[in-house]
Amino acid sequence: MSSLLALLLLGAAPDPWALPAARPCTAAELAELTDAGTTPWRLTCRAVLAPGQAIVRPILIEGAEASGAGLDCNGGAIGRPGLAVTTRQPTIAVWSRRITAEHWSRPTDIRVTNCVIHGAVRVWGMGADGSYDDLRASSRTAAHTATTQDAAPSHIELDRVTIVGTGSIPLYVGPGVTRLSLTNSTLTGRSDATALYLDAESADTRIENNAIAVATRREVIAIDGSARNRITGNRIHLKGRPGVFLYRNCGERGVIRHQTPSDNQITDNVFSGAARLRPQLVVVGSREGRRSYCGEDRGYPFGSSADDGDRATNNVVARNLRR
């Protein structure tokens, strides 16, 4: 095993320019990326599109071999306008891959910029294969948060992108994902759930200086057992829905939530379009165990198995405006 691969598998952070995919895509790779195929294309290089170029096929950024990959669309688009994508095949997938019972190959240091993305972006570690068995098993150990974070993608940068939702959550940050940033960007379109979801055991996400105007069926932003996130300087149009909910979704699918939605900063945002009756901009501790499945993780002396409460502490909610 190479020393670089060993670092990646152990979750260490080598020099980004030494990462496997930190190289320009070849002309042949760019031709494949921009052809009219429908199967996901594995991005393992840094692609820069020419003005006017578009990508219609889904993009898969998977495993340590994709670390360092990047995509600059130069203002161009990815995906097919109006096409409903699925959770299993989003427009852009940044996923980890299991290599042994205890080890995962994860991508790090990914950058996507200057793109209009039709559909959804999903970043996921454990559970990326669609099964929650690995998450359930890990959640029954005391080191679950660290284990999940070590298995998940990290250092993902989305800057100056527009994500146009077509039903699936436009930006989903999965269990254990750390240090993802969405900056200077726009979320629009529609979602059958939320516009942005930060899932259990994820941490250190930055959502800064964005415009969020998605037609949702639920709250616009969900912070579910996610910690140390910064949501600041955004313009959030609620369209009559609630704004930001912080909670811990105890027991869902039998997975124990260890981390609490704590140490988050939600500051200097401007909310518009709030409901006239019971407007809810930011709600800290929005569930407190009030779900039928909370008992599905019983029997262990930690996390939501021992306590169904949200236990949202040390969150800073300040200087947010309603217009």
Side-chain angles (χ1 to χ4, degrees), residues 38-160:
T38 58
T39 57
W41 195 79
R42 290 180 175 269
L43 183 66
T44 56
C45 52
R46 293 187 174 183
V48 179
L49 301 187
Q53 275 189 306
I55 300 170
V56 295
R57 63 194 306 176
I59 294 174
L60 176 60
I61 303 171
E62 183 183 44
E65 66 271 23
S67 292
L71 177 61
D72 183 345
C73 296
N74 232 325
I78 307 173
R80 302 174 189 269
L83 178 68
V85 297
T86 67
T87 58
R88 294 297 307 135
Q89 193 173 94
T91 315
I92 298 178
V94 184
W95 286 351
S96 298
R97 182 180 62 252
R98 182 194 287 277
I99 53 176
T100 70
E102 297 181 351
H103 294 96
W104 292 73
S105 177
R106 68 173 186 168
T108 69
D109 299 273
I110 308 300
R111 188 169 193 264
V112 179
T113 187
N114 294 318
C115 298
V116 177
I117 302 165
H118 294 283
V121 176
R122 291 180 70 85
V123 186
W124 209 335
M126 285 189 186
D129 61 356
S131 168
Y132 282 79
D133 292 345
D134 47 10
L135 282 167
R136 271 190 296 272
S138 175
S139 76
R140 281 146 176 74
T141 66
H144 174 60
T145 298
T147 300
T148 307
Q149 291 180 357
D150 287 345
S154 185
H155 294 84
I156 313 300
E157 181 180 351
L158 304 171
D159 182 57
R160 288 170 290 156

Side-chain angles (χ1 to χ4, degrees), residues 211-226:
I212 302 175
V214 179
T216 65
R217 292 186 178 179
R218 291 175 38 184
E219 69 274 12
V220 174
I221 299 175
I223 301 178
D224 173 10
S226 185

Side-chain angles (χ1 to χ4, degrees), residues 52-300:
Q53 275 189 306
I55 300 170
V56 295
R57 63 194 306 176
I59 294 174
L60 176 60
I61 303 171
E62 183 183 44
E65 66 271 23
S67 292
L71 177 61
D72 183 345
C73 296
N74 232 325
I78 307 173
R80 302 174 189 269
L83 178 68
V85 297
T86 67
T87 58
R88 294 297 307 135
Q89 193 173 94
T91 315
I92 298 178
V94 184
W95 286 351
S96 298
R97 182 180 62 252
R98 182 194 287 277
I99 53 176
T100 70
E102 297 181 351
H103 294 96
W104 292 73
S105 177
R106 68 173 186 168
T108 69
D109 299 273
I110 308 300
R111 188 169 193 264
V112 179
T113 187
N114 294 318
C115 298
V116 177
I117 302 165
H118 294 283
V121 176
R122 291 180 70 85
V123 186
W124 209 335
M126 285 189 186
D129 61 356
S131 168
Y132 282 79
D133 292 345
D134 47 10
L135 282 167
R136 271 190 296 272
S138 175
S139 76
R140 281 146 176 74
T141 66
H144 174 60
T145 298
T147 300
T148 307
Q149 291 180 357
D150 287 345
S154 185
H155 294 84
I156 313 300
E157 181 180 351
L158 304 171
D159 182 57
R160 288 170 290 156
V161 302
T162 295
I163 306 177
V164 185
T166 56
S168 188
I169 295 172
L171 178 56
Y172 172 79
V173 180
V177 173
T178 54
R179 299 189 183 280
L180 178 142
S181 65
L182 175 74
T183 54
N184 310 307
S185 296
T186 299
L187 300 185
T188 186
R190 63 180 182 85
S191 169
D192 295 333
T194 66
L196 170 62
Y197 200 103
L198 307 182
D199 212 339
E201 322 307 329
S202 66
D204 301 307
T205 297
R206 289 194 306 119
I207 308 296
E208 298 182 353
N209 302 320
N210 305 292
I212 302 175
V214 179
T216 65
R217 292 186 178 179
R218 291 175 38 184
E219 69 274 12
V220 174
I221 299 175
I223 301 178
D224 173 10
S226 185
R228 302 189 306 278
N229 305 295
R230 287 176 50 88
I231 300 176
T232 186
N234 302 286
R235 301 176 307 283
I236 304 173
H237 187 53
L238 301 177
K239 301 179 184 286
R241 299 295 184 181
V244 184
F245 279 4
L246 291 81
Y247 59 90
R248 184 167 66 168
N249 211 16
C250 54
E252 186 182 31
R253 297 185 177 91
V255 178
I256 302 169
R257 266 60 174 179
H258 286 233
Q259 190 171 250
T260 62
S262 297
D263 302 300
N264 298 287
Q265 297 183 38
I266 305 165
T267 61
D268 301 295
N269 301 287
V270 177
F271 293 88
S272 61
R276 291 188 178 183
L277 298 176
R278 293 189 68 238
Q280 296 174 296
L281 304 186
V282 180
V283 181
V284 178
S286 65
R287 293 196 175 177
E288 300 296 1
R290 294 187 294 269
R291 288 296 183 273
S292 61
Y293 43 70
C294 280
E296 294 180 12
D297 64 355
R298 288 175 182 160
Y300 295 85

